Amino acid sequence: MSESTMSAASEAPSLAVDSHTAAAEMHAQDSESDSEESEMAEASARDSAAEIPVTSNGEDVKHIMTGGPTLKETRIVSSNYGSPTEGIIEADPYRGSSFFPKSPVMFPSNAAASRLAEQAQDVSGPAGGLKNTQSGPVVITDDISKNIALEKLEQVKKWSISTYKCTRQVLSEKLGRGSKTVDLELESQIEILRDTKKKYENLLRLARQMAIQFYQVVQTQRQLGDAFGELSVKSPELHEEFGYNAETQKLLCKNGETLLGAINFFIASVNTLVNKTIEDTLIAVKHYENARIEYDAYRTDLEELNLGPRDAITIPKIEQSQQQFQIYKEKFDQLRGNVSIKLKFLEENKIKVMHNQLLLFQNAVSAYFAGNQQQLEQVLKQFHIKLKAPGSDGPSWLEEQ
């Protein structure tokens, strides 16, 4: 064989090896570029809330995402390997490919793809814009607010109807056209109670006036006793006379303070009876009278419906009126029983309280004007009345700790 032939034969294996090496390097570069492309595709898919599979068929493919969450605007920049030219292809959203990628690429499952498509439809509107949606809790809150508003409206409606009927009943009673339910025994007890309260209020006013005036007398006696005592020191010739008068006025002042304590205790007890016990009973009477007006209003309404014709329209109204009448009748009967019990207990309590207070007032006034200091003090002990020392308004905050 010639030397040229042998050299060609020896270079052939080296060329084959070089070609295989070059092909391996090209394949490695393709794999690296494909892996980079897959990472870019996954990053852009996370940003746009959708995953776009990357396909390649021996070509260098680069995806540039320019669209919004709907992925409707996608540019694919592709170029053949080793080719200086490259083109831009406008493509619709990805609908799949029949080629398998060279590099390992994560494909979304059908369930994930359907969820992503539903989210994209919810976010985007018909024209690709964002749609203003409301979350579930907001809808629930709106429903609750609507129900509350309807309940309040229904309450106002019922209150308006009840007020109208009660006002009509009161006017008809004052004009003498309507009938009124009257419990003669209970009404007489209520009238006596109101008259008793007026008389006790007058008694309380006079007792307070007496206490104010008597307090001024006691203060005057104290000043007069001090003046007599001063004059007894400065007038030696009338020392005994001024001294006797000074002691007398001081004794009267002391007994007057004791009597003031008894009068104030009497006033406090009567005030509690009039402005708390009797007033509480009169409040219950007021509730009873309001219930009586409501009872008569719905009773009159039911009677008017019963006097009218009975047909398919009026029968449901009559049944509804009968139910309302029964409700207000039970309320009226209950309050009437409560008022009767309160009046009974009030009468017993009034007799007991006034018996003790009148006995206290009588004994204290008699002992004072009789000059019986021991009996006056005994009256205070009997009713557990404690007098304050002169000039002591009460314990200090430090003593109360």
Side-chain angles (χ1 to χ4, degrees), residues 34 37-46 48 50-57 61-65 71 74-76 91-110 113 116:
D34 290 340
E37 290 169 2
S38 63
E39 291 176 356
M40 293 174 61
E42 290 176 358
S44 60
R46 286 194 298 270
S48 59
E51 295 181 5
I52 302 176
V54 179
T55 62
S56 64
N57 188 13
V61 181
K62 180 180 180 181
H63 293 270
I64 301 176
M65 309 289 297
L71 305 177
T74 305
R75 292 188 299 166
I76 302 176
D92 289 336
Y94 176 75
R95 293 186 175 86
S97 175
S98 61
F99 299 97
F100 295 97
K102 292 181 179 180
S103 59
V105 179
M106 296 299 294
F107 286 96
S109 63
N110 294 330
L116 292 174

Side-chain angles (χ1 to χ4, degrees), residues 193-297:
L193 177 62
R194 287 173 175 164
D195 184 65
T196 302
K197 183 184 178 184
K198 290 180 181 180
K199 292 179 179 179
Y200 278 25
E201 287 176 346
N202 184 47
L203 177 65
L204 188 60
R205 180 183 61 83
L206 294 175
R208 285 173 175 169
Q209 185 176 356
M210 177 183 177
I212 293 172
Q213 294 175 354
F214 194 74
Y215 175 78
Q216 295 175 354
V217 171
V218 171
Q219 296 301 317
T220 303
Q221 289 175 345
R222 179 180 287 107
Q223 295 174 3
L224 189 59
D226 295 339
F228 283 150
E230 184 179 358
L231 289 173
S232 67
V233 174
K234 294 182 178 181
S235 301
E237 64 278 4
L238 297 174
H239 174 72
E240 295 183 357
E241 289 80 359
F242 280 123
Y244 291 149
N245 282 277
E247 293 179 358
T248 302
Q249 294 300 322
K250 290 179 180 179
L251 181 61
L252 290 174
C253 180
K254 182 179 179 181
N255 293 339
E257 291 176 350
T258 306
L259 179 61
L260 273 176
I263 294 174
N264 290 331
F265 186 80
F266 172 81
I267 291 172
S269 299
V270 176
N271 180 66
T272 302
L273 177 65
V274 173
N275 294 322
K276 291 185 178 180
T277 309
I278 296 179
E279 185 65 24
D280 180 69
T281 305
L282 289 177
I283 291 174
V285 170
K286 185 66 177 179
H287 293 163
Y288 157 74
E289 291 177 347
N290 293 335
R292 197 272 308 164
I293 293 174
E294 292 175 346
Y295 166 75
D296 285 337

Side-chain angles (χ1 to χ4, degrees), residues 126-173:
L130 293 178
K131 182 172 64 176
N132 186 12
T133 59
Q134 291 183 347
S135 60
V138 175
V139 175
I140 294 174
T141 304
D142 292 341
D143 292 340
I144 294 175
S145 301
K146 186 176 180 181
N147 293 333
I148 293 175
L150 292 175
E151 290 178 359
K152 290 183 177 180
L153 183 62
E154 187 67 22
Q155 291 177 359
V156 171
K157 181 180 177 181
K158 292 180 179 179
W159 175 83
S160 301
I161 294 173
S162 178
T163 304
Y164 166 74
K165 291 182 179 181
C166 294
T167 304
R168 185 183 62 178
Q169 177 66 25
V170 172
L171 292 176
S172 62
E173 290 178 2

